[in-house]
Amino acid sequence: MIKDRFDRTHNYLRISLTDNCNLRCFYCMPEEEYDFTPTSRLTQPDEIVTLAKIFVDEGVTKIRLTGGEPLVRKDAAKIILSLSQLPVELTLTTNATRLHDFIDVLKQANIQSVNISLDTLQPEKFLLITRRDLFHLVRSNIELLLHHGFKVKINCVVMKGFNDNDINDFIEWTMHNPVEVRFIEFMPFSGNRWTNNKVVSLHEILSIINQQYSFLPLQNDITDTSKHFMIPGHAGSFAVISTMSSPFCAGCNRMRLTADGKMKNCLFSKTETDLLTALRNDEDVVKLIHENIMMKEKELGGQFTVDEVDANEIDNRSMITIGG
Ligand code: SAM
Ligand code: SF4
């Protein structure tokens, strides 16, 4: 078992397959020119599987693939199918632009649930956020997934004055569509021009929804990052990921492996452990994993608190190189 100093058991690994992406979401990409890591310098498929197996032997029961955009990696299908042989719940976070080519692979890999990023239901706003005119492709791929019986969760990063007026459009969408829309509080990462006044808090999101809808809280699991709600009569539901106003670190069970093979024990951790180099040098990777997790801070990587966030003081990667 992978336990930290606060007795939290870590059984959920998020693996980033690449820092490359075919969208340019401004809240995720660093504002300066960014060179994607060439595939030859990324963790190779056999190395991903070897590292994943080591984590599984240490108690990991769930693996999420992420990126950048995981499905732009040319060997994504091979990696997904190899990982599906492990005794874990395998899942994926994607921008959905390539999903139409992966339906069979996802089915073969027994993936049941997919998280998809979509921050607006307006095509023009989608273009502003992502700098790519692919709204209709994303929407049709969401329909495709639903048609094929996958469980779909929508990740929507809410930014004040930008898409907070889309919140109730998403809620209306859940009336006839069995999707769970997860509103995510905007988080600070290297180069993403985060400021406190752009965050729409859990409290504010619920008040906006409450202007038009009555909702009921659902039961949350201790390891849940989101607070879940249902609206009577709606086919779908919604949730809020309140990292900034009401963090959920007490029950955290997550570890991350970046596309260049570094282990991060928290989305906001300063420290990283180079597992890939250790694997290539035949060093003791298990020992490094446990050492890394013992460095895990109690909350928010030890870098800020709910009451005080100085984005310039946060020492971290950009979100696109972590994977969310
Ligand atoms: N490309 C995939 C996608 O967009 O779903 C996977 C990678 S993306 C980095 C993973 C998640 O991080 C997405 O849901 C995205 O909305 C979220 N994200 C990126 N930057 C964020 C930020 N600054 N604050 C909150 N969530 C963010
Ligand atoms: Fe790409 Fe996802 Fe980041 Fe958007 S949020 S730039 S789709 S990695």
Side-chain angles (χ1 to χ4, degrees), residues 111-124:
I111 288 179
Q112 317 268 335
S113 170
V114 180
N115 288 9
I116 293 174
S117 291
L118 183 66
D119 308 303
T120 177
L121 292 171
Q122 301 175 29
E124 315 76 42

Side-chain angles (χ1 to χ4, degrees), residues 158 160 163-168 171 200-213 215:
V158 187
K160 194 163 279 174
N163 63 344
D164 42 353
N165 58 354
D166 290 38
I167 290 175
N168 280 331
I171 297 295
V200 186
S201 67
L202 163 71
H203 177 74
E204 290 169 314
I205 291 169
L206 295 184
S207 333
I208 291 171
I209 297 172
N210 202 225
Q211 286 165 13
Q212 291 186 33
Y213 298 92
F215 51 82

